[in-house]
Amino acid sequence: MSGENEKPSLVYGEIKDNQNVLDLEKITIMKSAVDSEDVPMEHKIRLNQNGDDTNQTIKLYKRRWFIVLLFSSYSLCNSFQWIQYGIINNIFMRFYGVESFTIDWMSMIYMLTYIPFIFPVTWLLDKKGLRVIALVATAMNCAGTWIKVTSVRPNLFAVTMLGQFCCSLAQVFILGMPSKIASVWFGSEEVSTACSIGVFGNQLGIAIGFLVPPILVPNVEDMDQLAYHISIMFYITAGVATLLFLLVVMVFQERPELPPTQAQATARCISPEQYSYTASILRLLRNKPFLLLILTYGLNVGCFYAVGTLLNRMIIEHYPGEELNAGRIGLTIIIAGMVGSLICGIWLDRTKTYKQTTLTVYLMSFVGMLVYAFTLSLGHLWVVFLTAGALGFFMTGYLPLGFEFGVELTYPECEGTSSGLLNCSAQVFGIMFTICQGKIIDNYGTLAGNIFLCVFLFIGSVLTGKDLFLMMVSCCVIP
């Protein structure tokens, strides 16, 4: 990592789980036998903090997999609702009697809410821990779904917007949790896998959000029948959200009784006063390579948010009556992106070529967007499926790649803080691009709107390539 020669900072509740932790002074490891079926690995360590010796036992509990799967499930339930209005934009326009731009805000509210709340929520995660954050997230998500159940009347658009706002607020408590859960519950060789499971839940929820609403809510003329179909979708979502909330209340733990790694054992001996959240933010904002990544990450992911939000409008304009296929195309984008994420993760683990891989994926996102823009209007849906899949493979696949690169650039800072800043940039650009592309589509058509996004993907590619070029030059000049 970029901080390879530095000693890891003692961040309360989380220390990097890698070989650098061995640099911590006065830590001796002593092995002991396994004495429990629920504990596949166990050993003792002696910590010397301020002259005091402390014996702690390290254990890996089987329940850690249930914890991360539970988190992944309620993350899925929340992200499903991000796109459930936008993918059947034309149907909700007719039902509530509003403009398409108003329905676009049902997705953009997720982005807008994230921006002001991410910093207090990240601070709360550091101070109160995982269980409080999980309870608030699932409670807000559950409340939002039931508010939407009561809004299935054409004159109650404000109520359904309130429900969506509650769900968007829950999202702020969800997005920063995967890396924290992984570090608190999992061994050092499992952290990446656990984090991937948490992130995949969010992506899978978006995929289901593209696929299921067009199936549950067909474009029927009768308004009473349409209200019935919408209420069925809302009741199913509310039922799932309620079940997940109850599971979190009953079984979600703050942390295991005994730490899973040496790093977590050390972290438990550190006073909260030794960690300054504000100082961490200021250090990140002085990190020039990371600031450039914030910009380029925001450009790329902002384009993805715009494409996802406006996908229904783009497909329906060229293929009227194909709401179901619009959802399937969105599903194709996300599934291809999940495959891309997995391949990029394996590649990075083996090669550690963060900058080169990031540039390659960024360039291919630009090429994919360009091809998608010029083939959308050809009149062949199978072509759209192919080009959208290729676009999703690289554009959606870039999401976790950007997080990994951010951790590399900011080590040994807390992952939650760096990922929060990257997400904040993505939400800002997502709102800007969605509004601008929507207006361009209304006035000049889908081709002009997609070329608008291509321009910014090209700018992001140039900035990413410039950073790589400067790095190579500095390596040649400075021995």
Side-chain angles (χ1 to χ4, degrees):
M1 286 195 173
S2 54
E4 231 169 23
N5 297 322
E6 303 174 29
K7 292 182 181 180
S9 61
L10 303 182
V11 180
Y12 176 65
E14 182 176 1
I15 296 182
K16 301 288 181 180
D17 288 307
N18 54 30
Q19 291 300 316
N20 291 288
V21 76
L22 298 178
D23 291 334
L24 290 169
E25 297 178 354
K26 303 178 181 178
I27 295 183
T28 345
I29 303 173
M30 299 183 297
K31 294 183 179 179
S32 64
V34 176
D35 58 1
S36 171
E37 292 183 359
D38 189 43
V39 182
M41 183 181 74
E42 169 181 325
H43 58 271
K44 288 184 180 290
I45 66 172
R46 182 178 296 277
L47 304 176
N48 192 324
Q49 297 288 329
N50 300 322
D52 297 326
D53 291 337
T54 305
N55 288 326
Q56 289 199 28
T57 303
I58 288 176
K59 294 185 179 182
L60 284 180
Y61 295 86
K62 291 180 180 179
R63 75 190 71 152
R64 69 193 186 279
W65 296 108
F66 180 77
I67 294 293
V68 74
L69 287 173
L70 178 57
F71 165 77
S72 186
S73 297
Y74 73 73
S75 176
L76 181 155
C77 180
N78 180 262
S79 62
F80 164 81
Q81 297 174 82
W82 168 60
I83 203 65
Q84 72 175 158
Y85 291 90
I87 197 57
I88 47 176
N89 183 293
N90 57 321
I91 296 176
F92 276 109
M93 280 173 58
R94 186 163 59 86
F95 182 76
Y96 285 111
V98 295
E99 298 179 351
S100 60
F101 181 68
T102 305
I103 299 298
D104 290 342
W105 270 109
M106 302 301 283
S107 296
M108 289 192 289
I109 190 68
Y110 264 61
M111 309 174 205
L112 183 63
T113 305
Y114 189 90
I115 298 167
F117 287 104
I118 179 55
F119 295 109
V121 169
T122 306
W123 176 85
L124 191 64
L125 176 61
D126 284 329
K127 295 297 181 183
K128 297 298 182 181
L130 290 171
R131 179 168 170 82
V132 170
I133 297 298
L135 286 171
V136 174
T138 50
M140 293 297 298
N141 191 57
C142 182
T145 59
W146 284 107
I147 290 173
K148 286 192 277 189
V149 164
T150 67
S151 71
V152 190
R153 286 171 54 187
N155 63 332
L156 294 180
F157 179 77
V159 177
T160 207
M161 174 62 89
L162 175 62
Q164 189 73 341
F165 170 74
C166 290
C167 295
S168 71
L169 190 58
Q171 178 216 213
V172 187
F173 289 83
I174 292 172
L175 287 186
M177 284 186 69
S179 59
K180 190 75 172 179
I181 289 176
S183 65
V184 168
W185 278 92
F186 287 81
S188 57
E189 296 181 355
E190 303 170 330
V191 170
S192 296
T193 301
C195 191
S196 296
I197 292 172
V199 173
F200 273 24
N202 186 272
Q203 291 182 319
L204 186 59
I206 297 173
I208 297 173
F210 278 119
L211 179 65
V212 172
I215 297 174
L216 294 179
V217 187
N219 193 5
V220 295
E221 293 298 325
D222 184 82
M223 293 296 284
D224 291 334
Q225 192 176 359
L226 184 58
Y228 169 76
H229 289 300
I230 293 174
S231 66
I232 290 296
M233 179 174 69
F234 285 165
Y235 269 114
I236 291 174
T237 309
V240 172
T242 303
L243 174 62
L244 291 170
F245 171 64
L246 293 176
L247 284 173
V248 168
V249 170
M250 292 186 292
V251 302
F252 196 95
Q253 289 182 238
E254 169 64 28
R255 63 182 187 179
E257 295 177 8
L258 296 170
T261 62
Q262 303 169 36
Q264 282 298 305
T266 306
R268 293 189 183 189
C269 300
I270 298 170
S271 168
E273 287 75 19
Q274 291 180 254
Y275 171 64
S276 172
Y277 178 72
T278 304
S280 178
I281 292 287
L282 293 176
R283 285 193 298 270
L284 289 175
L285 294 179
R286 289 194 294 266
N287 185 329
K288 292 182 180 179
F290 181 63
L291 289 178
L292 183 60
L293 179 64
I294 288 178
L295 175 60
T296 56
Y297 184 87
L299 291 172
N300 191 301
V301 181
C303 288
F304 163 69
Y305 287 155
V307 170
T309 301
L310 301 174
L311 184 63
N312 171 269
R313 291 170 61 182
M314 290 190 281
I315 298 301
I316 296 301
E317 180 172 326
H318 297 287
Y319 307 92
E322 294 288 355
E323 291 88 0
L324 190 56
N325 273 319
R328 290 169 178 166
I329 290 169
L331 176 67
T332 302
I333 291 174
I334 301 300
I335 297 298
M338 293 171 71
V339 174
S341 300
L342 180 62
I343 293 175
C344 286
I346 294 173
W347 175 258
L348 284 181
D349 283 337
R350 293 187 177 183
T351 66
K352 304 301 180 184
T353 53
Y354 291 91
K355 286 181 175 288
Q356 296 89 330
T357 304
T358 301
L359 176 60
T360 301
V361 173
Y362 216 118
L363 282 170
M364 293 307 298
S365 297
F366 164 66
V367 172
M369 190 70 215
L370 206 60
V371 173
Y372 171 79
F374 283 98
T375 57
L376 181 61
S377 59
L378 293 181
H380 303 291
L381 266 174
W382 66 269
V383 174
V384 180
F385 272 96
L386 286 178
T387 56
L391 174 64
F393 182 88
F394 294 105
M395 182 177 282
T396 312
Y398 178 81
L399 271 69
L401 178 61
F403 283 130
E404 291 291 332
F405 194 20
V407 171
E408 179 73 10
L409 290 174
T410 60
Y411 178 82
E413 300 295 342
C414 178
E415 294 106 322
T417 307
S418 61
S419 62
L421 289 170
L422 290 173
N423 271 325
C424 191
S425 172
Q427 313 304 326
V428 171
F429 281 108
I431 293 173
M432 291 169 53
F433 289 164
T434 302
I435 293 174
C436 293
Q437 189 189 17
K439 295 299 183 182
I440 292 171
I441 289 174
D442 289 340
N443 294 311
Y444 304 103
T446 57
L447 179 60
N450 286 323
I451 290 177
F452 166 78
L453 296 184
C454 289
V455 170
F456 286 97
L457 285 173
F458 177 74
I459 293 172
S461 300
V462 170
L463 292 174
T464 304
K466 177 185 176 184
D467 185 41
L468 177 60
F469 175 75
L470 291 175
M471 182 199 73
M472 293 174 64
V473 169
S474 64
C475 288
C476 293
V477 173
I478 303 173

